[in-house]
Amino acid sequence: MGRLAFGSETVTFDDRLLGHLEVVMVAKLRRREPFILTWTVDPSLGSGRVSRWVGVSTGWDIRYHSRAIGPINPAWIDALMSTANSPGGLRVVPEPDQDEAVAG
């Protein structure tokens, strides 16, 4: 499990998910497109969800647990980017099967 930090607030995500979120976040910010990032809170921590405004001046960093996250799944990037471009903002969605995405 890696960590995404905004100032003193830290949230943990699977390294593979973090790698894909990083690609989407960097792409949005390079285009100077701010967005909302929303994630659910683990029930052991009280449940619910958190939304964070992310803009070009937002300080954030990612720390991965492992060195390699595996290959990037373009279908997952597309799915995450689709949420990031929606009014609801960037949300974690399940990773689609790459083979199904290519066939569809």
Side-chain angles (χ1 to χ4, degrees), residues 4-7 9 11 13 18 21-39 50-62 83-91:
L4 172 59
F6 297 96
E9 181 179 16
V11 60
F13 291 113
L18 267 178
L21 287 175
E22 180 180 12
V23 170
V24 172
M25 292 171 69
V26 169
K28 293 285 288 177
L29 294 173
R30 280 187 176 156
R31 293 190 300 251
R32 304 188 82 60
E33 298 174 357
F35 57 94
I36 292 286
L37 171 62
T38 299
W39 63 90
V50 176
S51 293
R52 171 66 83 156
W53 181 255
V54 182
V56 293
S57 63
T58 303
W60 57 277
D61 65 72
I62 293 176
T83 70
N85 291 330
S86 74
L90 178 54
R91 293 178 187 268

Side-chain angles (χ1 to χ4, degrees), residues 1 6 27 49 52 58-59 62 68-69 75 84 87 93 95-96 99:
M1 296 294 270
F6 297 96
R49 70 174 190 237
R52 171 66 83 156
T58 303
I62 293 176
I69 61 166
V93 295
E95 181 174 8
D99 295 333

